[in-house]
Amino acid sequence: MIDLRLLREDPDTVRASQRARGDNEGLVDAVLAADERRRASLAEFERTRAEQKALGKQVASATPETRPHLLAQTKALAEQVKSLEADARAADVELTDLSTRIDNVVEPEAPVGGEDDYTVLREVGAPRDFAAEGFTPKDHVELGERLGAIDLDRGAKVSGARFYFLTGVGARLELALLMCAVDQAVAAGFSPVITPTLVKPEVMRGTGFLGAHSDEIYHLPADDLYLVGTSEVALAGYHSDEVVDLSQGPKRYAGWSACYRREAGSHGKDTRGIIRVHQFHKVEMFSYCRVEEARDEHQRLLAWEEEMLAKVEIPYRVIDVAAGDLGSSAARKFDCEAWVPTQGRYREVTSTSNCTTYQARRLNVREKDPREGVTSNRFVATLNGTLATTRWIVAILENHQQPDGSVLVPKALQPYMGGLDVLTPVR
RNA sequence: GGAGGCGUCGCCUAGUCCGGUCUAUGGCGCCCGCCUGCUAAGCGGGUUUGGGUCUUAAAGCCCAUCGCGGGUUCAAAUCCCGCCGCCUCCGCCA
């Protein structure tokens, strides 16, 4: 949901944002017109309603002679009020409908353009030179199968394409990775949370996931519930319809959940292995903070992601995602992409978004306005960022493999695997 | 799955049977002021939220808001219907 006040006072900023995203600029004027209509029809309704209330009060104390006349008058007014109220409501629906089509206003520094127009901010760590080491790296599927870590055949047998079993050291590796992420988050002051993975429509809508990409989301029609694609959804809904206290700093949560994605638009993409799957696990950072603090908080989330990537000792790069690829909620987004040796390219393993007040508006998350002399409430900013997911296993296996098919366990994860420092092939 | 009870302004609470005097009572907490060596007490005032309007801004005025959504009525916290949540009991499953 866009800030209507901003739209009224500074429509050019919103137009520029629409342009950067490659979205319809004309929508801005359509919303302005609808806003005008809504306010006019609301004023008309409220004026008439006030008249009706005043007159209605007289009925109670009217004398038997004046009562019939008053009743006739007020009856007619009641009719009018009813129809004016319907008008006002229709105008409001129209405004909401139009204004929710405008995605969050992008930060001016975000690169303009679409998916391929990202900017590379930095590359960290050097990819291994397997040729120099004298062997050809195996991909995560082959490594995973030989280690007895990933069972794709049985995943397909039981649940279909893009499902898998993590077994033995694979299961332990995922648990280790996620526990390590939770511990890092807790050390940084986050509250760990295990969230529901089924949410109501209004929460899913509030986070901005039911827009253009709603076919990515699993829906259970019998119960009208949605399966979340990330715990961000549940954590954004966590404080919905609340006034939160941010006087002691941001409220930070580390959500642990299963994540479900239909991958409807990606037939044929990443069909091999566990890079793109229907179900995986993730530890997600989520922060509620004051609008003035959101940009700094975004940088902090990114830094925590990089801290976690350093722990698993994987080369990666950081990209500044272009405006057209932000999704509806984000004003700015940074992805960390890990080096995948057998693909010879970087693949997304984290993503952090500054959603400013966009989600908070839709989910009604506010704080007491801390500014001097202001007594009302105002919307907060929400941000999220990935701390670890199942997909990281791909990068860990491939980057730390040995010529014999064994895989070295990153130091930081060893304590979480009972001290195990190397995964050895079982076949 | 079945039966019953409850849901009022941060918390507690009056009001609901029998519609208008509810502009929602009172207490606690909180805020401001007065008074007082200090503190406490006492006294006075304020204290739901959202929107509209006016204004540089504030104040003011108006509308909505008694779990949510409909309905009846000139008029709904109050009457009717549906839903949600919590509690108690019964049944079923683990």
Side-chain angles (χ1 to χ4, degrees):
Chain A
M1 180 89 62
I2 195 109
D3 183 357
L4 283 176
R5 202 149 306 175
L6 169 75
L7 194 82
R8 265 178 232 149
E9 287 165 10
D10 189 8
D12 284 340
T13 293
V14 184
R15 286 194 189 97
S17 168
Q18 289 291 93
R19 228 176 298 130
R21 282 178 174 276
D23 286 348
N24 180 9
E25 233 181 294
L27 211 46
V28 173
D29 295 293
V31 171
L32 283 173
D35 178 47
E36 203 67 47
R37 281 195 296 279
R38 171 184 161 268
R39 283 188 290 158
S41 89
L42 191 63
E44 177 75 356
F45 155 67
E46 287 184 351
R47 194 187 54 73
T48 316
R49 172 79 177 137
E51 202 180 324
Q52 183 209 11
K53 280 176 69 172
L55 216 55
K57 243 169 225 161
Q58 295 176 31
V59 173
S61 53
T63 62
E65 298 86 65
T66 55
R67 186 180 290 256
H69 176 66
L70 261 178
L71 269 181
Q73 228 179 326
T74 194
K75 223 168 186 157
L77 257 181
E79 284 296 306
Q80 249 189 76
V81 165
K82 213 168 206 168
S83 100
L84 286 171
E85 184 176 18
D87 292 350
R89 198 175 295 199
D92 190 59
V93 166
E94 195 200 345
L95 174 64
T96 304
D97 180 56
L98 283 169
S99 61
T100 50
R101 283 193 228 165
I102 296 185
D103 291 342
N104 200 0
V105 177
V106 303
E107 284 186 17
E109 292 86 348
V112 171
E115 198 179 343
D116 302 323
D117 297 314
Y118 57 83
T119 308
V120 176
L121 296 179
R122 57 183 164 274
E123 296 186 3
V124 179
R128 269 168 72 184
D129 185 346
F130 286 94
E133 292 185 39
F135 75 104
T136 307
K138 301 172 180 63
D139 80 351
H140 76 279
V141 176
E142 189 178 346
L143 289 166
E145 279 171 356
R146 291 173 62 160
L147 292 170
I150 304 173
D151 190 336
L152 289 155
D153 293 339
R154 292 201 176 91
K157 177 174 74 177
V158 171
S159 301
R162 295 197 193 283
F163 285 95
Y164 57 95
F165 285 79
L166 291 181
T167 54
V169 291
R172 292 185 78 191
L173 184 59
E174 180 180 281
L175 288 168
L177 180 66
L178 297 178
M179 259 321 283
C180 180
V182 168
D183 281 355
Q184 182 191 300
V186 168
F190 285 76
S191 305
V193 183
I194 297 174
T195 72
T197 51
L198 287 168
V199 300
K200 296 179 180 183
E202 58 263 35
V203 173
M204 189 56 86
R205 197 172 308 112
T207 47
F209 284 108
L210 286 187
H213 301 291
S214 58
D215 58 352
E216 266 302 294
I217 318 273
Y218 285 104
H219 180 227
L220 276 58
D223 302 284
D224 198 16
L225 290 170
Y226 290 89
L227 276 162
V228 300
T230 159
S231 60
E232 169 195 347
V233 178
L235 290 172
Y238 189 65
H239 284 304
S240 59
D241 292 319
E242 292 182 22
V243 178
V244 296
D245 178 10
L246 299 178
S247 61
Q248 305 303 309
K251 288 180 100 67
R252 300 192 179 110
Y253 300 100
W256 168 307
S257 81
C259 304
Y260 301 91
R261 301 191 179 177
R262 294 189 64 232
E263 298 297 344
S266 44
H267 298 297
K269 259 194 203 167
D270 299 313
T271 49
R272 185 172 162 82
I274 59 166
I275 289 201
R276 192 179 295 272
V277 291
H278 288 309
Q279 179 186 336
F280 58 93
H281 291 105
K282 178 157 74 148
V283 173
E284 172 94 336
M285 298 179 283
F286 194 92
S287 176
Y288 294 88
C289 76
R290 291 184 168 160
V291 286
E292 296 86 354
E293 245 183 298
R295 276 168 165 262
D296 288 347
E297 183 73 353
H298 200 192
Q299 289 300 325
R300 284 190 284 264
L301 293 185
L302 179 56
W304 280 314
E305 290 179 347
E306 295 194 59
E307 183 183 337
M308 191 62 205
L309 278 163
K311 283 180 180 161
V312 295
E313 301 169 47
I314 284 169
Y316 65 93
R317 68 177 186 180
V318 183
I319 67 166
D320 194 344
V321 176
D325 200 24
L326 287 175
S328 53
S329 305
R332 189 89 179 272
K333 183 191 281 188
F334 304 113
D335 287 359
C336 293
E337 301 181 324
W339 178 255
V340 178
T342 61
Q343 297 194 358
R345 59 178 178 138
Y346 290 99
R347 300 301 308 265
E348 178 188 331
V349 284
T350 74
S351 182
T352 179
S353 297
N354 179 1
C355 296
T356 60
T357 58
Y358 184 88
Q359 293 178 332
R361 277 171 204 288
R362 297 174 151 222
L363 292 165
N364 191 28
V365 185
R366 296 167 299 156
E367 64 165 335
K368 288 227 173 310
D369 198 319
R371 287 172 299 181
E372 196 71 33
V374 185
T375 55
S376 53
N377 295 324
R378 66 171 190 176
F379 293 107
V380 304
T382 61
L383 301 96
N384 62 78
T386 317
L387 216 44
T389 74
T390 305
R391 186 187 273 184
W392 286 39
I393 292 172
V394 173
I396 292 171
L397 293 184
E398 293 204 12
N399 281 289
H400 296 306
Q401 64 178 296
Q402 305 291 102
D404 63 355
S406 65
V407 172
L408 298 180
V409 179
K411 272 218 165 43
L413 297 186
Q414 289 174 12
Y416 296 96
M417 299 191 68
L420 195 63
D421 57 0
V422 59
L423 312 180
T424 322
V426 294
R427 52 178 166 266

